[in-house]
Amino acid sequence: MTTLTETPVRPTTTDPVLAVRDVRIRDQVSGREIVKGVSFSLTPGKVVGIVGESGSGKTLTCRAVLGILPEHIEVAGGAIHVAGEDVAALSPAGLTALRGSTISAVFQDPASYLNPSIKVGPQIAEVVRVKKGLGRRAAKRRAIELIAAVHLRDPELVYGQYAHELSGGMLQRVLIATAIAADPRVLIADEATTALDVTVQAEILDLLADLRDTAGLALVVVSHDLAVVAQLCDEVLVMREGEVVEQGPTERVLYHPQHDYTRLLIDEHEQYGLDRFLAREGS
Ligand SMILES: Nc1ncnc2c1ncn2[C@@H]1O[C@H](COP(=O)(O)OP(=O)(O)OP(=O)(O)O)[C@@H](O)[C@H]1O
Ligand SMILES: [Mg+2]
């Protein structure tokens, strides 16, 4: 007889590109455990959502996955595997190589991630040059292709524009173009559409869904907006005070929440039109 392990026997068609197992995050200064055990795994083309109140540990969880925790904050337990690689075992150089190429991210406030005094196109081309090792000419060509891929009109024109010449939605597309420049397998979007107006937000969500469908990109979507999660995610984690209070398939968590806190979140969101997305149950 073989011994039973604790590993859940779940048939998957592909190995996970991201596996987060019981990750705990601690503040070394106060000794406080900020994130108290987060687990999920993501196969290509799948989307996991993280929701929950401000300060619940969503961003730190993402930053742990990316290996960019703030000073004094550390992963104090659990394991993170990106494309089969144990992130904790990687050297700083190995981590840097992984970031951008295998796993990438977009955050809120795209303008702050771009250099205001350099045209946006060359900034994308630089990422392509460094991460893909292309020459200048090829990197420029690729940057223009990427600008087109994120559905910006007139890519050649946009290539030569400065950040201040672009709208918030256009900037977020430029950031997404930069994030996917090295063909990552996982993209983390942490409140990536929060600052945008509703129409632009919907366009960016469509773009992410498109990348998921065409490139098999796996997504981690952090949002305070349950409608975003309902639209995009296969699975959702509900966090409160560093704990995952509920986790499961999006449909189940949003239609049949088991935890009071999830119910509270859903009630709060109903006024923002969550029912619009939930209505697809009947479709
Ligand atoms: N650099 C830091 N030093 C100390 N504590 C931090 C640091 N960054 C975050 N924290 C604390 O960790 C907790 C989780 O923060 P985190 O940014 O992950 O929350 P969040 O869920 O992303 O919130 P929001 O919805 O507001 O973005 C908070 O209590 C926060 O105060
Ligand atoms: Mg956050």
Side-chain angles (χ1 to χ4, degrees), residues 27 32 34 52-61 70-71 73 190-191:
D27 183 341
R32 180 167 80 101
I34 302 175
E53 68 191 1
S54 186
S56 58
K58 305 182 296 294
T59 294
L60 286 186
T61 300
E71 240 181 294
I73 308 280
D190 184 354
E191 303 284 6

Short mmCIF file of all heavy atoms in Angstrom, two decimals, residues 27 32 34 52-61 70-71 73 190-191, ligand 1:
data_model
loop_
_atom_site.label_atom_id
_atom_site.label_comp_id
_atom_site.label_asym_id
_atom_site.label_seq_id
_atom_site.Cartn_x
_atom_site.Cartn_y
_atom_site.Cartn_z
N ASP A 27 6.22 40.63 9.34
CA ASP A 27 6.98 41.87 9.53
C ASP A 27 8.08 41.58 10.54
O ASP A 27 7.81 41.28 11.70
CB ASP A 27 6.02 42.96 10.05
CG ASP A 27 6.72 44.31 10.20
OD1 ASP A 27 7.97 44.33 10.25
OD2 ASP A 27 6.01 45.32 10.28
N ARG A 32 4.90 40.70 13.63
CA ARG A 32 3.51 40.42 13.29
C ARG A 32 3.43 39.55 12.03
O ARG A 32 4.13 39.80 11.05
CB ARG A 32 2.78 41.74 13.03
CG ARG A 32 1.31 41.60 12.66
CD ARG A 32 0.61 42.95 12.75
NE ARG A 32 0.84 43.80 11.59
CZ ARG A 32 -0.04 43.96 10.60
NH1 ARG A 32 -1.21 43.33 10.65
NH2 ARG A 32 0.22 44.76 9.59
N ILE A 34 1.57 39.01 8.94
CA ILE A 34 0.65 39.85 8.17
C ILE A 34 -0.25 39.00 7.27
O ILE A 34 -1.43 39.25 7.14
CB ILE A 34 1.43 40.87 7.31
CG1 ILE A 34 2.31 41.76 8.19
CG2 ILE A 34 0.45 41.74 6.52
CD1 ILE A 34 3.20 42.72 7.41
N GLY A 52 -10.91 41.40 -0.92
CA GLY A 52 -10.88 41.57 0.53
C GLY A 52 -10.57 43.00 0.90
O GLY A 52 -10.11 43.78 0.07
N GLU A 53 -10.83 43.31 2.16
CA GLU A 53 -10.72 44.69 2.61
C GLU A 53 -9.29 45.22 2.49
O GLU A 53 -8.33 44.46 2.38
CB GLU A 53 -11.18 44.79 4.06
CG GLU A 53 -10.24 44.08 5.01
CD GLU A 53 -10.80 43.93 6.42
OE1 GLU A 53 -11.94 44.37 6.65
OE2 GLU A 53 -10.09 43.38 7.26
N SER A 54 -9.19 46.53 2.54
CA SER A 54 -7.89 47.19 2.48
C SER A 54 -7.03 46.72 3.65
O SER A 54 -7.50 46.60 4.78
CB SER A 54 -8.11 48.70 2.54
OG SER A 54 -6.89 49.35 2.35
N GLY A 55 -5.77 46.42 3.35
CA GLY A 55 -4.86 45.98 4.40
C GLY A 55 -4.94 44.50 4.71
O GLY A 55 -4.30 44.02 5.65
N SER A 56 -5.69 43.75 3.90
CA SER A 56 -5.86 42.33 4.21
C SER A 56 -4.69 41.47 3.73
O SER A 56 -4.62 40.28 4.03
CB SER A 56 -7.18 41.81 3.64
OG SER A 56 -7.24 42.01 2.25
N GLY A 57 -3.78 42.07 2.96
CA GLY A 57 -2.58 41.32 2.56
C GLY A 57 -2.54 40.91 1.10
O GLY A 57 -1.70 40.10 0.70
N LYS A 58 -3.41 41.49 0.28
CA LYS A 58 -3.48 41.11 -1.14
C LYS A 58 -2.19 41.49 -1.88
O LYS A 58 -1.59 40.68 -2.57
CB LYS A 58 -4.69 41.78 -1.81
CG LYS A 58 -6.02 41.49 -1.10
CD LYS A 58 -7.20 42.13 -1.80
CE LYS A 58 -7.19 43.65 -1.83
NZ LYS A 58 -7.34 44.29 -0.49
N THR A 59 -1.79 42.75 -1.71
CA THR A 59 -0.60 43.23 -2.42
C THR A 59 0.66 42.53 -1.93
O THR A 59 1.50 42.14 -2.72
CB THR A 59 -0.48 44.76 -2.29
OG1 THR A 59 -1.58 45.36 -2.97
CG2 THR A 59 0.82 45.28 -2.89
N LEU A 60 0.77 42.35 -0.63
CA LEU A 60 1.97 41.68 -0.11
C LEU A 60 2.04 40.25 -0.63
O LEU A 60 3.13 39.74 -0.92
CB LEU A 60 2.00 41.71 1.42
CG LEU A 60 2.34 43.06 2.06
CD1 LEU A 60 2.47 42.91 3.57
CD2 LEU A 60 3.62 43.65 1.47
N THR A 61 0.90 39.59 -0.76
CA THR A 61 0.89 38.24 -1.33
C THR A 61 1.45 38.28 -2.75
O THR A 61 2.30 37.46 -3.11
CB THR A 61 -0.54 37.66 -1.31
OG1 THR A 61 -0.99 37.61 0.05
CG2 THR A 61 -0.60 36.28 -1.92
N PRO A 70 8.66 44.46 0.50
CA PRO A 70 9.36 45.62 1.05
C PRO A 70 10.39 45.18 2.10
O PRO A 70 10.32 44.07 2.61
CB PRO A 70 8.25 46.44 1.72
CG PRO A 70 6.96 45.85 1.30
CD PRO A 70 7.22 44.48 0.80
N GLU A 71 11.28 46.10 2.41
CA GLU A 71 12.27 45.82 3.44
C GLU A 71 11.56 45.43 4.75
O GLU A 71 10.50 45.96 5.06
CB GLU A 71 13.09 47.09 3.69
CG GLU A 71 14.57 46.90 3.42
CD GLU A 71 15.33 48.17 3.70
OE1 GLU A 71 15.09 49.16 2.96
OE2 GLU A 71 16.12 48.18 4.66
N ILE A 73 9.99 42.94 5.46
CA ILE A 73 8.85 42.02 5.31
C ILE A 73 9.39 40.76 4.64
O ILE A 73 10.10 40.84 3.65
CB ILE A 73 7.74 42.65 4.43
CG1 ILE A 73 7.36 44.04 4.92
CG2 ILE A 73 6.54 41.73 4.33
CD1 ILE A 73 6.43 44.12 6.08
N ASP A 190 -2.61 43.88 -10.05
CA ASP A 190 -3.01 44.31 -8.71
C ASP A 190 -3.72 45.65 -8.81
O ASP A 190 -3.07 46.67 -8.99
CB ASP A 190 -1.77 44.39 -7.81
CG ASP A 190 -2.11 44.73 -6.36
OD1 ASP A 190 -3.29 45.01 -6.05
OD2 ASP A 190 -1.19 44.72 -5.53
N GLU A 191 -5.02 45.64 -8.70
CA GLU A 191 -5.85 46.85 -8.84
C GLU A 191 -5.51 47.60 -10.14
O GLU A 191 -5.52 48.82 -10.18
CB GLU A 191 -5.66 47.79 -7.63
CG GLU A 191 -5.97 47.16 -6.28
CD GLU A 191 -7.47 47.02 -5.98
OE1 GLU A 191 -8.30 47.31 -6.87
OE2 GLU A 191 -7.80 46.62 -4.85
N1 LIG B 1 6.30 48.11 3.95
C1 LIG B 1 5.47 47.71 4.92
N2 LIG B 1 5.88 47.72 6.20
C2 LIG B 1 5.08 47.33 7.20
N3 LIG B 1 3.82 46.91 7.02
C3 LIG B 1 3.36 46.87 5.78
C4 LIG B 1 4.15 47.26 4.65
N4 LIG B 1 3.41 47.12 3.53
C5 LIG B 1 2.21 46.67 3.94
N5 LIG B 1 2.19 46.51 5.28
C6 LIG B 1 1.04 46.06 6.08
O1 LIG B 1 0.65 44.79 5.61
C7 LIG B 1 -0.76 44.68 5.61
C8 LIG B 1 -1.22 44.22 4.25
O2 LIG B 1 -0.91 45.22 3.28
P1 LIG B 1 -1.29 45.03 1.76
O3 LIG B 1 -0.70 46.19 1.05
O4 LIG B 1 -0.88 43.68 1.30
O5 LIG B 1 -2.86 45.13 1.78
P2 LIG B 1 -3.92 45.10 0.59
O6 LIG B 1 -4.84 43.97 0.86
O7 LIG B 1 -3.19 45.09 -0.71
O8 LIG B 1 -4.70 46.47 0.79
P3 LIG B 1 -5.31 47.49 -0.30
O9 LIG B 1 -6.64 46.92 -0.69
O10 LIG B 1 -5.45 48.77 0.44
O11 LIG B 1 -4.35 47.59 -1.45
C9 LIG B 1 -1.31 46.03 6.03
O12 LIG B 1 -1.67 45.93 7.38
C10 LIG B 1 -0.15 46.96 5.87
O13 LIG B 1 -0.19 47.95 6.85
#
